[in-house]
Every structure is written in C-alpha cells, then in structure tokens.
Amino acid sequence: MPVADEVRVAIASDDDVLTARQQARTLAVALGFWSVEQTFIAIAVSELALNILQYAGRGDIVLSEGEQRGARGIIIEARDEGPGIADTTLALREGYSTSGRAGLGLSGAKRLMDEFELRSERGKGTTVTMKKWVR
C-alpha cells in the first residue's frame, strides 16, 4: 500500500481526534507495524489530540513516514499555538494533571513510543514530536 508523504489533521473537535487516531492507525498498518503497536500509536495520537483540544482549543496532528538506519517508522507531530506548558518536566511526570484527569496523557504517550520530544513556550504554544520504528 503506498504511503502519503504527510497527512495533516486539523484538531478542533472530538471528531477530529477520532480522525487523527484513524489516520495514524492506517499509516501504521501501511508501514507494517503489528497490531499491538498500531494500537499504541493510535492511543498516543489520541492523547496528544485530546491535549490540544483541552489546553489550546485547536491545533494540528501531522503524520509522516520516516526512516532511521534502514528501519521504517512513523513520525507524529502535534502542534498548537495555545498557552504553552509552564513546566515541561512536571507535565511529563506520570500522574500530574492540571485538568483533574488521571495525568497519563503526555507521560503515557511518551511511554508508548520509541522517541518523544516536547517543546513548549509560554504564550506561543507546544509541539510534541514522537517516533516509532518498525522492528
């Protein structure tokens, strides 16, 4: 199955979260991830998309194919122009939440992926880049 260079999903509603999740799973299948990894990828995308909705109101999830040392993989970038995260170290701590929820969003997504980078600037927004490689 051919893979598109990049798939961008604008996040502004609950329906968009589902679309991003489905698009991530479709790309994961095309890249040859096994079913459990497809689920991990879909969950991680859902968590980031939900964070965009809750904290920024709108943003984007960008999905693309990557390659590293001969291995194919998926690259996921979640971007918003929201208020930013005051303390990124604290935000990645399992159980930490400003929403009153379980506090597993960012830390859970990080745990499910092979690579995870969080960049945030107060008043300018947040970008999370995650990667997972086919084994």
Side-chain angles (χ1 to χ4, degrees):
M1 170 187 267
V3 177
D5 290 341
E6 181 177 283
V7 175
R8 181 184 160 279
V9 180
I11 305 296
S13 71
D14 290 336
D15 288 341
D16 300 331
V17 173
L18 294 174
T19 299
R21 179 184 177 102
Q22 291 165 341
Q23 290 292 327
R25 185 180 287 275
T26 298
L27 181 54
V29 168
L31 291 170
F33 285 98
W34 55 290
S35 63
V36 172
E37 291 175 317
Q38 293 167 23
T39 301
F40 290 168
I41 290 165
I43 290 168
V45 167
S46 293
E47 291 297 337
L48 294 184
L50 286 168
N51 276 3
I52 287 171
L53 271 184
Q54 180 162 8
Y55 296 107
R58 61 184 344 100
D60 297 297
I61 300 283
V62 180
L63 309 166
S64 60
E65 178 182 350
E67 189 172 325
Q68 176 177 283
R69 288 179 238 123
R72 292 174 70 187
I74 188 169
I75 301 170
I76 301 153
E77 188 173 83
R79 305 183 288 226
D80 69 58
E81 295 178 359
I85 299 171
D87 186 337
T88 57
T89 302
L90 185 59
L92 286 169
R93 185 179 302 154
E94 194 162 321
Y96 175 77
S97 175
T98 59
S99 69
R101 294 187 306 173
L104 299 173
L106 289 175
S107 64
K110 181 179 180 182
R111 197 171 44 253
L112 294 170
M113 302 302 284
D114 294 329
E115 298 178 36
F116 186 97
E117 179 185 1
L118 169 63
R119 296 180 313 281
S120 189
E121 190 173 342
R122 294 291 285 166
K124 294 193 176 180
T126 301
T127 299
V128 175
T129 304
M130 305 184 299
K131 300 176 184 176
K132 191 150 190 77
W133 306 106
V134 176
R135 304 202 193 300

